[in-house]
Amino acid sequence: MPGKIRQYFKDKKDDVQDYAGGSGVIGKLILALVVVYLLVALVLGMIWSSEPDTFSVREHTRSVANSMEREPITGFATTVTMIRIAETLLDKPGGYISNDIFPPGLWLDNMPNWEYGVLVQLRDLSRAMRKDISRSQSQSAEDRDLTIAEPQFHFDSESWAIPSTEAEYRRGITALKRYLDRLSSPDQADAQFFARADNLGNWLADLETRLGSLSRTLGESVGKASVSDSVITMNSGDPLAEEATGEDVKTPWTKIDDVFYEARGSSWALLHIFRAIEVDFRKVLQDKNAMASVRQVIIELEGAQGEMWSPVILNGSGFGVLANHSLTMAAYLSRANSAISDMRDLLSRG
């Protein structure tokens, strides 16, 4: 029996050698190159899958202001933070991966979803900057650079070439830099940043729906009944009838990590955006007694960026033996969303 096993593996080895060109030098060289390529791609894939570290918004703002020899006026922190977030998206290890068509980027799954989460927040803030924050009233003209930046960040996130996603996003970054230069220049008064309660409230309203959707999808990792289906099937004519329940909605197990890393990317971007808002909107936040809510949001988003010790996203049941990373992330985002709701309420008061 052992002899048959040895003969079996010897035959398989001979088959591989025949397929690779026999025992010749060319066949061995090709096989060695393939093995080296796969090993290099594996190592690069592990490096490229590492999430970027957080950075200090205040220190970065001070550094950029010093390099430009400008005063960090209102709006400076938010704008330089947007630029840094966009540059991180493109210049992190491995660069922008979502549109890669060759290994190892083609094989990666978590980082493209992280990038999409960051991109969504960048798009929402750039739209708010163009639509509200840079305009004094509804009849005011839009800022000429923000009208370029906002659609550039809405370009197809998976375009490989003609034009590439990276090239379009860099045009958006360049437009933001021109806006920053005009905003901080004492010689140009045509760039504005209005740190008002209504402008901030409009963006927060959009953000609430974003985080609410993410929290819901994360919570569906263990399956939850659909409220809308439950309400539809209730017997309104008999209030004492047994309460109807909708069908369970559960995120497919193949999508659990996708949703999780999209939430990680969103929370990473929002953490820096709220740190910038704490600087630029400080006066209105203090006037409305909303500073505590902002800091609570920051604390929850910092928690959402906790170190990942597990090599895979675990999906244990709510009270099971294994952890459920999705529910943990959902808890942080839900508490952040609750603080955002409090902020909106405080900002809307006279």
Side-chain angles (χ1 to χ4, degrees):
M1 191 65 177
K4 291 182 178 180
I5 295 175
R6 284 195 297 270
Q7 184 62 39
Y8 172 81
F9 284 106
K10 184 177 183 300
D11 293 340
K12 292 299 180 183
K13 178 181 178 182
D14 293 339
D15 292 342
V16 171
Q17 288 180 342
D18 292 340
Y19 182 77
S23 57
V25 176
I26 296 178
K28 291 181 178 179
L29 180 61
I30 293 174
L31 186 60
L33 290 175
V34 170
V35 171
V36 170
Y37 172 76
L38 293 176
L39 289 175
V40 171
L42 178 63
V43 173
L44 284 178
M46 295 174 64
I47 295 173
W48 292 1
S49 294
S50 301
E51 300 172 44
D53 294 331
T54 58
F55 61 90
S56 172
V57 168
R58 284 184 170 85
E59 289 182 6
H60 180 62
T61 300
R62 194 177 299 112
S63 174
V64 173
N66 291 337
S67 65
M68 293 177 64
E69 298 182 349
R70 302 283 177 82
E71 286 295 323
I73 64 173
T74 301
F76 199 95
T78 299
T79 308
V80 297
T81 298
M82 287 179 65
I83 294 170
R84 175 70 178 268
I85 289 172
E87 289 179 336
T88 301
L89 197 63
L90 301 180
D91 300 331
K92 58 182 172 51
Y96 185 74
I97 296 175
S98 295
N99 62 345
D100 283 6
I101 62 173
F102 297 110
L106 179 63
W107 297 339
L108 301 181
D109 181 38
N110 295 336
M111 185 50 64
N113 287 287
W114 185 92
E115 291 174 344
Y116 182 72
V118 173
L119 185 58
V120 167
Q121 301 306 328
L122 189 61
R123 287 172 171 175
D124 285 352
L125 183 56
S126 65
R127 184 173 60 249
M129 290 277 288
R130 174 185 178 180
K131 183 170 68 76
D132 296 316
I133 298 176
S134 65
R135 303 171 65 193
S136 61
Q137 54 187 348
S138 62
Q139 301 301 315
S140 301
E142 294 179 329
D143 185 90
R144 61 177 181 268
D145 286 320
L146 294 180
T147 58
I148 297 173
E150 191 256 344
Q152 291 301 131
F153 291 126
H154 280 80
F155 184 76
D156 181 9
S157 62
E158 297 181 359
S159 177
W160 179 63
I162 316 178
S164 68
T165 300
E166 292 92 334
E168 297 301 300
Y169 290 172
R170 289 197 188 280
R171 289 192 183 98
I173 293 172
T174 302
L176 282 177
K177 288 181 177 179
R178 289 197 301 266
Y179 168 76
L180 177 66
D181 182 64
R182 292 189 296 112
L183 179 68
S184 59
S185 174
D187 301 326
Q188 301 186 58
D190 57 338
Q192 303 292 333
F193 186 100
F194 296 97
R196 299 198 312 257
D198 58 333
N199 290 340
L200 182 57
N202 290 338
W203 174 70
L204 291 175
D206 292 337
L207 179 57
E208 259 194 290
T209 61
R210 292 286 190 194
L211 293 185
S213 177
L214 275 177
S215 298
R216 172 72 188 188
T217 310
L218 287 165
E220 288 171 356
S221 63
V222 293
K224 298 179 68 176
S226 172
V227 175
S228 58
D229 291 343
S230 176
V231 172
I232 290 172
T233 57
M234 286 182 64
N235 183 359
S236 58
D238 186 2
L240 296 179
E242 184 177 354
E243 183 178 352
T245 57
E247 294 183 0
D248 284 353
V249 178
K250 188 171 184 177
T251 305
W253 68 271
T254 55
K255 300 293 184 181
I256 295 294
D257 58 335
D258 296 348
V259 177
F260 178 84
Y261 277 99
E262 180 184 344
R264 286 274 285 192
S266 288
S267 60
W268 182 89
L270 286 174
L271 172 60
H272 300 96
I273 291 170
F274 270 95
R275 285 174 175 172
I277 285 173
E278 187 182 15
V279 174
D280 285 333
F281 288 83
R282 191 175 191 84
K283 184 176 185 303
V284 68
L285 291 171
Q286 290 177 336
D287 290 344
K288 299 289 187 177
N289 296 318
M291 187 61 75
S293 297
V294 174
R295 290 179 177 168
Q296 185 63 44
V297 172
I298 292 173
I299 289 172
E300 301 302 340
L301 293 175
E302 287 174 341
Q305 289 299 302
E307 190 73 26
M308 279 290 298
W309 296 104
S310 173
V312 296
I313 303 304
L314 298 179
N315 189 40
S317 60
F319 298 98
V321 176
L322 296 178
N324 187 303
H325 293 129
S326 297
L327 292 184
T328 302
M329 178 65 72
Y332 282 119
L333 295 188
S334 294
R335 290 196 294 269
N337 210 13
S338 178
I340 290 171
S341 180
D342 292 340
M343 277 183 63
R344 287 187 62 205
D345 181 55
L346 291 170
L347 291 172
S348 65
R349 296 179 185 178

